[in-house]
Amino acid sequence: MASAAEELDQLMIRPLGAGQEVGRSCIMLEFKGKKIMLDCGIHPGLSGMDALPFVDMINAEEIDLLLVSHFHLDHCGSLPWFLQKTTFKGRCFMTHATKAIYRWLLADYIKVSNIATEQMLYTEADLEATMDKIETINFHEEKDVRGVKFWAYHAGHVLGAAMFMIEMAGVKILYTGDFSRQEDRHLMVAEMPTVHPDVLIIESTYGTHVHEKREDRENRFTGVVHDIVSRGGRCLIPVFALGRAQELQLILDEYWMGHPELHDIPIYYASSLAKKCMAVYQTYVNAMNERIRRQIAVNNPFVFKHIQNLKGIDHFDDVGPCVIMASPGMMQSGLSRELFESWCTDPKNGVIVAGYCVEGTLAKHLLSEPDEVNTMSGQKLPLKMSVDYISFSAHTDYAQTSDFIRQLKPPHIVLVHGEQNVMSRLKDALLREYADDPSRGPVQIHNPRNTVAVSLPFRGEKVAKVMGGLAVEPPADGRVLSGVLVKRNFNYHLLSPDELGKYTDMTQSQVSQRLSVHFSGSPQLLQYILSSLSADFETTKGKYQWRLFRAVTVTLDGKTAILEWVASPGGDMLADAVLAAVLKAETTRVDAPTRPAKFDRMHYKECLIETLQEMFGDEAVPKFFKGEKFHVTCGGRRADIDLTDMSVTCEEDEVFRSAVLTAVTKLYQSLSPATLSRND
Amino acid sequence: MHILYAVLWKAGNPQQVDECRFLLDAGWDENFNLNYLRDVRKHVNQIDAVLLTFPDQAHLGALPYLFGKCGLSCAVYATVPVYKMGQMFLYDQYQSRHNTEDFNVFSLDDVDSAFDKIVQLKYNQSVALKGRGQGLTITPLAAGHMIGGTMWKIVKDGEEDILYAPDFNHKKERHLNGCDLEHVARPSLMITDAYNATYAPARRRQRDEQLMTTILQTLRGGGHVLVAIDTAGRMLELAHMLDQLWRNKESGLMAYSLALLNNVSYNVVEFAKSQIEWMSDKLMRSFEGARNNPFQFKHLKLFHSLSEVNRIRGPKVVLASSPDLECGFARELFTQWCTSAKNHVILTARTSVGTLARDLMTNKKKKTLSLQVKQRVRLEGAELEEYQRRELEAKRAKAAALAGDIDSSDESDTDEAPLATDGQVEHDLTLANGKPNPLFFKSSKRQHAVFPHIEERVKYDDYGELIRPGEFAVAEEEVKPEPVKEEAEPADQEMQDLSTVPSKCLAYYRTFTVAAGVTYIDFEGRTDGESLYRILEQLRPRRLVLLRGTDEVVQPLAARFAQVAEKVLIPRAGHPVDATTESHIYQVRLRDSLVSSLTFSKGKDAEVAWLDGVVVMATDQRPSDVTAPTDDAAMETDDAEEAIPTLELLPAEKAPRHSTVFINELRLSDFKQALVRLGIASEFSGGVLWCCNGTVALRRQEQGHITIEGCLSDDFFRIRELLYGQYAIV
């Protein structure tokens, strides 16, 4: 049976995280009874259960599909918890590169997260166990899970980042995840999908901000680094271990190569994780841009000449100017925090915040230029070192977003992954832009808060394909089509029942039944009773076997009566009637007439006259009549009855006529054996 | 092997789906026999698309010739690995031929321009065709056998699918998954080959052991092992397996050398390394888990010339192309090694009749062979002088021509400019040689990073990436590989010389006494006959086209499949077969009131309901307050044809009566399970399921016919109720 949810025409989009905030991306889609979760991230500024998206709002068991856009913690950080610690039974997909990095990234996260064991959401063993539950999807490959069709586009941003296009019952939804349409040193730009989505769920991290040009940004970055090290300071670049870090390394390595005077100043990259994942970068070159793919055939661009890997702070000899890239990127804890705390009091030193910072992290706090900062141990330190903010994060900016939307022309836009103010500014800006553009048609922009659902009405148009024998004749007005409608994954096919096996995996079956009843009476009695039951009564010669209603066969074999028929609701009902008759014959202990009962017409006529006299008075009907025709008079009206075809005519009074007709036919039916119309 | 494709062409089957003509594969035989292409040349102008399945010569060998010499010009579809490895196959083939003979069937430029036409796809990536193919969708599915191997699904209007699946392999292998039959619902037409219909290969373990013992015995006896294998397909499986064998300390193989020798071995292995996502789940998992790339070989060394290999001391195993021993390093090594009884030759595939490998396979007793030996030798003495004189004349003539035409002289100046700065004499010579492509002679050496085949010739697909910024940075990249190139050159002097200095080709017959052992070990990686039958039984194609197979193999097979498929067709070369499927399809819009009146019951994997409706042709306006999904494809067809008719509810009294339909095929064993769950005792006896202490019996009469039998009792009706529950009744 089709459940009510399946027939609903409302598409519900409910952010469980990343609704008017950045971090813990988790968006629920519900449509036609299907539930899809997009991303399952963790909030970098919170810890323990608080950092999870609001998954208590939903029933994990009902989710059919979970898609993870890329390997950043705010997009996949809760995944091991969700897969291992909830009742989730659906399928989970990510791209190959994302899966390969996810495993190492989260293992690293478990190691560095600075919280008590009981607050840990999951362990390394949990993470390991999730690897078998996660399936991979290649870019552009179409998958179908329970009628939900989806495929991935390149999203730029980081290696393996994907935008997902999801199609349910003809409605297409594009989830961008984090994306960037600006070409950089190693990644492709986000693709422009060739199909137009009905709903666009788009990130709004940078809102109305417009990025500076790539060259300017790089020059500013290298300039700041150069300044810091030339004044004898230490340059700290807190970075997320994977993703932008590789981009920065490519830039710094090239800059050092062009500036021999800097060769004495070491660049350290303090991440064993990045080292581990280098093999992944070297393998999935097919997901990178043309430049890298070309170069990798010659030499590996990810083998750096001037950048050394640093195993940990113990191996670091802090003697003079240097550049260190350390994770985590927002200095919540770990190496970047340690280095920051030991360097922040010296004005020669400098920190360059190169990525996006989430509310509640130290990096974000630094941007407000405080005089003092709190250390991990709670102590206060004066902030003397220089702080620069150069955004390298590969997120879309206003120019890219607005161009993307202009090309895709989605009627509905849902903004996620952006802070409240930034998001509403973006919403206003977009609305203003499109208000001036009448050619575009109406656009609705939503920016739901966490747990608040956006409900969009979609008329799930149902189109069926008529196939095979039913479709031989072309459709014409008024043609009646009868057949079996097969519904599979939002697809409808109308078929003739005998062609089911040809077009589907299903086959038509038949169930025949054979029921034995004890019968101790004489065959004649049985025959008599059965013959008075059905007018369609055939006897097989030489055997005690009768066929009633052209459906049920009764055979008498010694003291057993056997009923045989083919199952169908009608057939079962007739069989029940025959069975009742057999049981009646069993209990009736009378000597049966030798001949089968025959309908007595004279008896019927007598009864009819009596009935009519009862109904309309003794005077209404002639006492005797010959042939099959007579009349009834009542209150001056006369109805003529013709018994040959059981018809009644009365010109004056329709009510009277039908009353007489009812009497005539009902009486006939109750006195004669039953007949069934041919079609059954 | 080639016959398959010839059949398709000759059958006028550029497989026609309505008006759209496909060329399914463009293979060639081992020796580039032009006769095979005679018929396809006639159809060249009518072909709308080419679908490629595997990267080997037998499946795309004719592509450069058809594009370069026959004027074929249409879109070609292939998966990313088929594109990359296919190019490797052809480069290797070209280079192998060029090393020993004047080969002019196609040039490397032909290969490149043909491959430029390829649209690269991922598995399960559907492409909706345009133009004459409107309404058709093609989808590549994993086929196993070789990396990127494809079965093509061609679907018309979302129904009526055609499955083209030659040479697939359903078994999982070391580096590949088996073919993907999950995405194939009952095809209306299936085209496959009957090549293996009666063939039962040795079990995998047995086969591997045989290989291992043959190798070990030969090596211990101080001999060499030549494994004749293809360039970039089955080679990967064998290379991966042997490298693993070598890693095993107990195998005792570490003392010996393992070499891969073909003209493009470095690139093939590099490409294999970056295509992990196309390989088996096991390899992918191990990469995700331990980050070790399976094609980062520890023991297998890569070589590009015979002299390098000959320099390796001691017994060795060499994987060399090509498997047919018709050309390439495999043939050269064969002629070198076959006379010594210590050596061993392992053949890995059954190549076409008439090839040397096949000859060795079938005539095991034959010990003397008369073989044509082809060689490219330097010109000397008078010949050289004559050659130089002619070149000089040609050069002068060219210069005169250039002087006459200023435009073209400008062009040629810029062409030559970078070469001159290289300061390498060879380049000039090459140009003088009349070969405008200065790159062809470098293909054998990995050090030459500028050789075109390691560069992306990706045009990329619909989603963009037509502009390649990298192209504008060529100058700075070209500088880097330079030092590498120079230091590598001396090692390859021999090769380099022969392909760049004036040379001529010789061919003569020589008689060889084959003393070396010759063994055929099946590494073809194709579905065997028995499994083929099982798979077809499971897929139940409505029409089946069997290709490639002799009459005696195909006829009994066709008879066997006749029960499974409605029609079995065996096209013969030159004769078109009519595989038209009678397809009547049209679409109707279902009115909401109609849908809500239906009662669906659950079938196997779908829901079914009886529907009585009446067609209304008038187009209805969609209510504007709700958004209807924008469906570009649907809208296009709307414009093209008239609107979709609507189906409305037929009043109950007008509905014609219909007999009840029971849908589902009940298996008594499943029903027994259902009974067990409810705690009802039942047992099988003589094919009859007895329930409730033998008072009710269920019998399966024939396909889709069940009888329930019993005495009048509650049990009877209870069982009947349960039985009805197993069906969707409409």
Side-chain angles (χ1 to χ4, degrees):
Chain A
M1 297 302 257
S3 69
E6 244 169 83
E7 297 311 317
L8 275 182
D9 289 337
Q10 298 290 317
L11 167 67
M12 307 272 275
I13 301 171
R14 187 205 299 261
L16 301 179
Q20 301 194 357
E21 66 171 356
V22 175
R24 57 171 156 186
S25 284
C26 186
I27 293 122
M28 282 298 300
L29 296 183
E30 288 175 43
F31 189 50
K32 302 265 173 195
K34 306 284 176 201
K35 296 193 177 180
I36 300 166
M37 184 185 266
L38 301 170
D39 281 338
C40 194
I42 206 157
H43 198 296
L46 303 169
S47 68
M49 294 293 252
D50 298 343
L52 291 176
F54 294 90
V55 282
D56 43 350
M57 297 291 294
I58 46 138
N59 189 350
E61 203 174 319
E62 291 168 0
I63 295 172
D64 300 284
L65 180 63
L66 202 171
L67 301 175
V68 176
S69 64
H70 63 280
F71 59 70
H72 277 153
L73 281 177
D74 60 331
H75 292 262
C76 69
S78 316
L79 190 61
W81 179 84
F82 193 74
L83 292 180
Q84 292 302 106
K85 308 284 165 97
T86 67
T87 50
F88 176 71
K89 291 190 304 209
R91 294 171 69 182
C92 174
F93 286 90
M94 52 175 78
T95 61
H96 291 91
T98 303
K99 189 180 175 190
I101 293 177
Y102 152 87
R103 197 226 163 288
W104 301 105
L105 192 87
L106 286 203
D108 186 67
Y109 169 72
I110 294 168
K111 239 180 281 163
V112 302
S113 58
N114 181 31
I115 47 170
T117 330
E118 61 269 21
Q119 267 194 299
M120 292 283 279
L121 291 169
Y122 45 85
T123 62
E124 178 120 21
D126 290 329
L127 174 61
E128 195 63 58
T130 61
M131 290 302 280
D132 289 336
K133 295 188 183 175
I134 300 170
E135 295 169 71
T136 48
I137 178 170
N138 212 334
F139 288 101
H140 304 141
E141 178 182 358
E142 278 177 25
K143 294 262 183 193
D144 192 315
V145 172
R146 298 182 208 173
V148 181
K149 212 159 87 175
F150 60 97
W151 58 97
Y153 293 104
H154 289 284
H157 191 60
V158 288
L159 179 66
M163 304 192 283
F164 285 104
M165 182 75 85
I166 300 147
E167 188 180 337
M168 285 182 282
V171 176
K172 291 188 213 72
I173 301 145
L174 179 68
Y175 173 59
T176 63
D178 291 354
F179 76 107
S180 165
R181 305 229 339 123
Q182 189 176 39
E183 166 99 26
D184 71 9
R185 274 159 198 267
H186 71 290
L187 293 170
M188 298 193 185
V189 297
E191 287 172 85
M192 185 61 72
T194 46
V195 288
H196 297 295
D198 301 297
V199 181
L200 174 67
I201 305 177
I202 189 169
E203 66 139 321
S204 47
T205 322
Y206 280 88
T208 50
H209 176 87
V210 177
H211 293 324
E212 60 188 316
K213 283 225 303 269
R214 180 179 142 194
E215 296 77 29
D216 298 349
R217 184 175 72 181
E218 286 183 9
N219 289 339
R220 198 152 70 87
F221 173 70
T222 49
V224 171
V225 173
H226 202 137
D227 280 353
I228 295 172
V229 293
S230 352
R231 70 184 180 225
R234 298 162 179 85
C235 178
L236 172 66
I237 309 171
V239 282
F240 206 77
L242 289 163
R244 305 323 301 153
Q246 278 64 37
E247 178 79 4
L248 293 178
Q249 283 173 294
L250 288 169
I251 295 169
L252 280 179
D253 200 51
E254 195 183 294
Y255 187 75
W256 248 241
M257 202 127 59
H259 292 78
E261 73 272 20
L262 294 174
H263 283 190
D264 296 338
I265 296 164
I267 307 175
Y268 295 110
Y269 184 39
S271 168
S272 56
L273 175 63
K275 206 178 156 207
K276 279 183 197 150
C277 293
M278 214 33 96
V280 181
Y281 270 77
Q282 286 160 10
T283 298
Y284 293 112
V285 284
N286 284 329
M288 293 189 211
N289 64 21
E290 199 67 9
R291 200 184 107 106
I292 295 285
R293 275 190 277 175
R294 225 179 248 268
Q295 208 184 334
I296 205 123
V298 183
N299 61 16
N300 194 336
F302 290 103
V303 174
F304 302 108
K305 290 199 178 63
H306 301 281
I307 300 173
Q308 302 161 37
N309 208 63
L310 194 63
K311 276 209 180 120
I313 198 158
D314 315 332
H315 297 76
F316 175 52
D317 199 8
D318 190 6
V319 284
C322 63
V323 180
I324 286 200
M325 281 185 256
S327 60
M330 302 176 205
M331 296 188 285
Q332 303 96 310
S333 58
L335 185 63
S336 60
R337 182 64 169 258
E338 277 178 59
L339 289 170
F340 174 79
E341 285 175 8
S342 63
W343 290 350
C344 71
T345 50
D346 186 344
K348 269 198 288 186
N349 297 338
V351 58
I352 302 174
V353 179
Y356 181 82
C357 326
V358 173
E359 213 60 68
T361 57
L362 174 63
K364 184 78 184 180
H365 183 57
L366 286 183
L367 298 186
S368 63
E369 297 175 9
D371 295 330
E372 285 182 330
V373 285
N374 286 325
T375 64
M376 301 271 280
S377 52
Q379 179 190 355
K380 280 199 168 154
L381 286 175
L383 177 67
K384 296 271 175 59
M385 78 196 292
S386 65
V387 177
D388 286 272
Y389 180 58
I390 303 168
S391 163
F392 272 94
S393 66
H395 286 277
T396 174
D397 65 354
Y398 184 72
Q400 296 171 32
T401 304
S402 125
D403 175 63
F404 194 66
I405 293 173
R406 193 173 286 280
Q407 292 194 45
L408 282 182
K409 304 189 187 72
H412 297 277
I413 299 170
V414 179
L415 301 177
V416 294
H417 201 278
E419 265 150 32
Q420 195 175 356
N421 297 332
V422 175
M423 209 184 247
S424 51
R425 273 204 297 276
L426 175 64
K427 181 178 172 178
D428 294 342
L430 287 174
L431 281 175
R432 229 176 299 126
E433 191 177 330
Y434 292 111
D436 303 338
D437 188 357
S439 65
R440 232 201 127 269
V443 61
Q444 287 183 41
I445 304 182
H446 313 266
N447 53 340
R449 274 184 292 122
N450 277 340
T451 74
V452 177
V454 176
S455 174
L456 306 172
F458 277 100
R459 202 167 98 118
E461 170 122 290
K462 294 179 186 78
V463 174
K465 285 182 177 134
V466 185
M467 293 173 69
L470 285 179
V472 172
E473 305 269 325
D477 229 347
R479 174 181 299 285
V480 173
L481 290 176
S482 290
V484 179
L485 186 70
V486 180
K487 174 189 177 191
R488 182 189 287 129
N489 296 342
F490 308 124
N491 293 321
Y492 294 87
H493 293 121
L494 187 60
L495 304 168
S496 124
D498 35 310
E499 285 177 320
L500 265 182
K502 194 168 162 188
Y503 294 104
T504 67
D505 289 341
M506 293 179 288
T507 44
Q508 202 181 349
S509 293
Q510 203 182 36
V511 175
S512 45
Q513 309 191 22
R514 217 173 125 90
L515 185 60
S516 316
V517 195
H518 178 73
F519 181 74
S520 52
S522 66
Q524 288 75 19
L525 176 66
L526 187 59
Q527 177 164 355
Y528 175 73
I529 298 231
L530 291 177
S531 65
S532 53
L533 182 68
S534 165
D536 279 324
F537 182 76
E538 295 159 32
T539 313
T540 312
K541 286 237 167 74
K543 266 198 276 184
Y544 293 123
Q545 193 180 57
W546 307 276
R547 187 162 173 81
L548 295 92
F549 304 112
R550 299 170 196 278
V552 185
T553 308
V554 180
T555 315
L556 189 62
D557 181 9
K559 293 278 174 213
T560 315
I562 299 161
L563 279 67
E564 284 171 282
W565 74 100
V566 173
S568 75
D572 289 355
M573 190 185 74
L574 294 173
D576 287 349
V578 174
L579 180 63
V582 173
L583 292 176
K584 180 166 181 281
E586 168 74 13
T587 46
T588 318
R589 289 279 167 208
V590 291
D591 285 334
T594 45
R595 292 190 310 116
K598 206 174 174 199
F599 179 53
D600 187 347
R601 266 201 109 72
M602 278 318 290
H603 178 60
Y604 168 64
K605 281 181 194 167
E606 281 162 21
C607 292
L608 182 61
I609 286 169
E610 238 172 86
T611 310
L612 292 173
Q613 282 173 342
E614 290 282 321
M615 286 170 78
F616 304 107
D618 287 352
E619 306 310 314
V621 193
K623 287 273 182 313
F624 299 100
F625 64 93
K626 288 206 171 133
E628 302 291 323
K629 290 182 183 167
F630 65 105
H631 59 86
V632 189
T633 45
C634 180
R637 286 155 305 187
R638 173 188 158 131
D640 291 301
I641 301 169
D642 185 350
L643 289 181
T644 45
D645 59 351
M646 307 297 276
S647 66
V648 179
T649 44
C650 174
E651 302 291 317
E652 307 111 50
D653 193 341
E654 179 59 29
V655 180
F656 178 51
R657 191 194 76 85
S658 62
V660 175
L661 181 64
T662 310
V664 171
T665 49
K666 284 272 153 72
L667 183 69
Y668 182 80
Q669 283 169 359
S670 54
L671 288 179
S672 68
T675 42
L676 288 170
S677 64
R678 272 298 145 95
N679 288 342
D680 251 345
Chain B
M1 304 198 91
H2 47 278
I3 299 167
L4 159 61
Y5 316 102
V7 165
L8 277 173
W9 299 324
K10 287 177 185 174
N13 260 4
Q15 178 61 43
Q16 296 179 13
V17 177
D18 291 346
E19 272 312 299
C20 187
R21 285 156 194 253
F22 288 102
L23 183 63
L24 302 176
D25 279 327
W28 212 337
D29 72 333
E30 286 84 348
N31 285 320
F32 301 100
N33 186 343
L34 287 177
N35 285 339
Y36 289 111
L37 298 184
R38 211 174 44 220
D39 291 275
V40 77
R41 291 176 72 158
K42 288 183 214 149
H43 295 284
V44 152
N45 296 327
Q46 299 162 358
I47 295 168
D48 295 302
V50 183
L51 307 183
L52 301 178
T53 52
F54 298 100
D56 59 343
Q57 192 177 335
H59 294 87
L60 50 67
L63 208 56
Y65 182 78
L66 289 175
F67 274 91
K69 304 283 196 287
C70 302
L72 180 66
S73 162
C74 64
V76 182
Y77 296 91
T79 56
V80 179
V82 167
Y83 168 85
K84 295 235 180 192
M85 297 306 186
Q87 221 167 4
M88 291 300 104
F89 262 102
L90 293 178
Y91 283 148
D92 186 35
Q93 188 62 227
Y94 175 85
Q95 194 60 46
S96 301
R97 297 270 166 183
H98 182 80
N99 284 346
T100 56
E101 59 187 290
D102 285 320
F103 182 71
N104 47 22
V105 176
F106 59 82
S107 68
L108 289 176
D109 284 343
D110 291 336
V111 177
D112 289 347
S113 61
F115 274 72
D116 273 344
K117 297 276 187 196
I118 291 185
V119 179
Q120 297 177 60
L121 302 177
K122 311 279 171 58
Y123 284 145
N124 296 325
Q125 178 181 354
S126 299
V127 178
L129 297 184
K130 301 232 160 60
R132 278 198 281 179
Q134 181 78 49
L136 293 177
T137 311
I138 54 170
T139 314
L141 303 174
H145 184 52
M146 285 182 193
I147 189 164
T150 310
M151 306 189 286
W152 286 98
K153 193 164 83 167
I154 307 166
V155 182
K156 169 123 201 290
D157 293 333
E159 304 298 333
E160 293 294 320
D161 27 351
I162 297 171
L163 185 70
Y164 172 58
D167 291 319
F168 60 90
N169 185 12
H170 69 291
K171 282 202 198 90
K172 248 186 197 154
E173 291 188 280
R174 284 180 176 80
H175 86 296
L176 289 178
N177 283 332
C179 63
D180 169 22
L181 293 171
E182 247 174 66
H183 287 89
V184 188
R186 184 172 191 190
S188 62
L189 173 65
M190 179 163 173
I191 307 169
T192 188
D193 65 314
Y195 186 64
N196 263 359
T198 52
Y199 178 69
R203 295 243 303 283
R204 185 174 130 169
R205 216 176 123 193
Q206 222 174 338
R207 177 195 78 179
D208 293 354
E209 265 168 24
Q210 192 191 359
L211 179 73
M212 168 93 175
T213 45
T214 312
I215 287 176
L216 254 183
Q217 276 170 6
T218 314
L219 291 177
R220 286 191 178 142
H224 304 301
V225 182
L226 166 66
V227 184
I229 189 90
D230 63 14
T231 313
R234 303 298 307 156
M235 184 278 279
L236 295 176
E237 173 78 5
L238 201 59
H240 178 248
M241 174 185 159
L242 289 178
D243 197 62
Q244 295 293 325
L245 265 182
W246 249 254
R247 282 183 205 200
N248 182 355
K249 289 198 179 67
E250 285 154 32
S251 66
L253 287 164
M254 297 244 265
Y256 308 103
S257 310
L258 177 61
L260 172 66
L261 173 65
N262 66 45
N263 292 299
V264 287
S265 55
Y266 171 76
N267 299 89
V268 167
V269 172
E270 278 304 298
F271 288 148
K273 275 190 211 165
S274 65
Q275 289 169 353
I276 303 294
E277 67 262 43
W278 296 85
M279 296 184 192
S280 71
D281 294 339
K282 202 179 147 213
L283 287 196
M284 255 194 284
R285 259 205 305 279
S286 103
F287 177 71
E288 282 154 7
R291 286 169 290 117
N292 49 8
N293 197 311
F295 286 92
Q296 186 72 52
F297 294 120
K298 271 203 179 127
H299 300 276
L300 183 75
K301 298 281 179 298
L302 311 181
F303 295 96
H304 298 83
S305 79
L306 210 54
S307 51
E308 288 172 336
V309 170
N310 283 334
R311 239 172 276 145
I312 308 172
R313 287 209 194 90
K316 51 193 168 270
V317 177
V318 181
L319 305 181
S321 65
S322 56
D324 44 61
L325 296 179
E326 280 297 298
C327 69
F329 295 126
R331 190 179 176 100
E332 290 178 47
L333 279 176
F334 178 78
T335 52
Q336 236 180 62
W337 289 353
C338 71
T339 47
S340 162
K342 279 188 193 170
N343 298 336
H344 208 101
V345 179
I346 294 174
L347 306 169
T348 55
R350 292 162 294 161
T351 51
S352 307
V353 177
T355 57
L356 174 57
R358 185 63 175 244
D359 203 28
L360 289 169
M361 223 180 283
T362 42
N363 305 318
K364 285 184 184 137
K365 294 281 175 302
K366 202 162 135 191
K367 285 297 171 199
T368 47
L369 284 172
S370 174
L371 290 182
Q372 195 179 30
V373 179
K374 293 173 179 169
Q375 264 181 338
R376 184 175 281 270
V377 293
R378 268 171 205 268
L379 290 181
E380 274 165 1
E383 274 181 321
L384 183 63
E385 278 163 29
E386 167 70 14
Y387 174 84
Q388 281 166 339
R389 194 180 55 76
R390 264 192 288 122
E391 283 301 308
L392 205 64
E393 268 172 24
K395 217 171 183 178
R396 278 195 196 126
K398 198 180 165 199
L402 287 179
D405 186 345
I406 297 166
D407 278 352
S408 67
S409 80
D410 273 357
E411 254 169 50
S412 88
D413 276 353
T414 46
D415 279 353
E416 281 176 57
L419 298 178
T421 54
D422 273 2
Q424 288 189 14
V425 193
E426 288 92 340
H427 290 289
D428 284 330
L429 272 172
T430 316
L431 276 183
N433 232 350
K435 301 240 163 54
N437 177 4
L439 302 166
F440 76 92
F441 59 87
K442 294 180 189 165
S443 65
S444 62
K445 303 194 303 301
R446 59 176 177 146
Q447 292 83 354
H448 294 284
V450 286
F451 182 69
H453 67 247
I454 49 174
E455 291 176 357
E456 290 286 336
R457 292 208 171 258
V458 199
K459 217 173 72 198
Y460 243 68
D461 48 25
D462 297 347
Y463 305 108
E465 202 62 25
L466 288 162
I467 299 162
R468 288 176 286 182
E471 279 180 348
F472 304 104
V474 174
E476 71 179 69
E477 270 165 37
E478 256 186 355
V479 184
K480 288 177 195 165
E482 207 62 51
V484 191
K485 187 154 82 183
E486 266 158 18
E487 77 185 31
E489 236 138 57
D492 277 324
Q493 208 57 50
E494 183 191 18
M495 273 289 309
Q496 181 80 5
D497 282 348
L498 284 183
S499 47
T500 53
V501 303
S503 61
K504 64 170 180 179
C505 297
L506 298 177
Y508 53 91
Y509 282 91
R510 221 178 102 187
T511 309
F512 290 92
T513 316
V514 182
V518 176
T519 317
Y520 164 59
I521 303 176
D522 174 24
F523 270 94
E524 284 179 353
R526 286 200 189 109
T527 298
D528 61 289
E530 208 38 55
S531 312
L532 178 69
Y533 181 71
R534 266 193 292 106
I535 287 165
L536 288 178
E537 208 172 32
Q538 183 198 334
L539 286 179
R540 297 190 303 151
R542 298 224 297 281
R543 279 160 188 77
L544 180 66
V545 176
L546 290 174
L547 305 163
R548 231 171 51 169
T550 49
D551 266 1
E552 59 268 33
V553 174
V554 171
Q555 289 307 341
L557 193 74
R560 218 176 154 193
F561 289 141
Q563 303 156 10
V564 177
E566 285 167 19
K567 207 168 175 187
V568 181
L569 299 159
I570 302 151
R572 284 196 321 198
H575 299 280
V577 291
D578 181 9
T580 320
T581 31
E582 240 183 278
S583 60
H584 300 286
I585 291 187
Y586 62 83
Q587 294 194 318
V588 286
R589 207 167 264 148
L590 299 178
R591 217 14 118 210
D592 281 350
S593 58
L594 176 67
V595 176
S596 54
S597 76
L598 298 174
T599 332
F600 281 98
S601 31
K602 192 103 187 77
K604 207 180 207 170
D605 54 347
E607 289 172 81
V608 288
W610 187 271
L611 179 144
D612 290 309
V614 59
V615 178
V616 177
M617 295 301 281
T619 46
D620 64 329
Q621 292 302 311
R622 294 169 178 176
S624 53
D625 55 316
V626 287
T627 331
T630 53
D631 190 341
D632 303 37
M635 259 141 63
E636 274 167 40
T637 47
D638 268 7
D639 295 340
E641 302 157 29
E642 70 257 56
I644 302 172
T646 311
L647 201 59
E648 287 193 1
L649 184 62
L650 196 64
E653 63 270 16
K654 282 195 191 156
R657 289 158 184 257
H658 69 88
S659 50
T660 313
V661 184
F662 282 67
I663 296 165
N664 216 349
E665 170 103 56
L666 182 72
R667 293 229 307 266
L668 286 180
S669 51
D670 293 345
F671 187 57
K672 185 171 192 290
Q673 294 294 317
L675 291 176
V676 168
R677 275 198 293 278
L678 288 164
I680 299 171
S682 58
E683 61 175 333
F684 270 111
S685 160
V688 180
L689 183 67
W690 296 94
C691 314
C692 308
N693 300 321
T695 51
V696 182
L698 288 158
R699 242 183 268 270
R700 189 158 179 264
Q701 303 289 65
E702 67 221 50
Q703 197 84 1
H705 189 174
I706 298 264
T707 309
I708 175 167
E709 205 175 324
C711 301
L712 178 63
S713 63
D714 283 350
D715 287 338
F716 179 84
F717 293 100
R718 193 151 59 113
I719 301 287
R720 189 176 80 176
E721 206 54 45
L722 291 171
L723 182 67
Y724 285 178
Q726 302 289 312
Y727 291 97
I729 302 170
V730 297

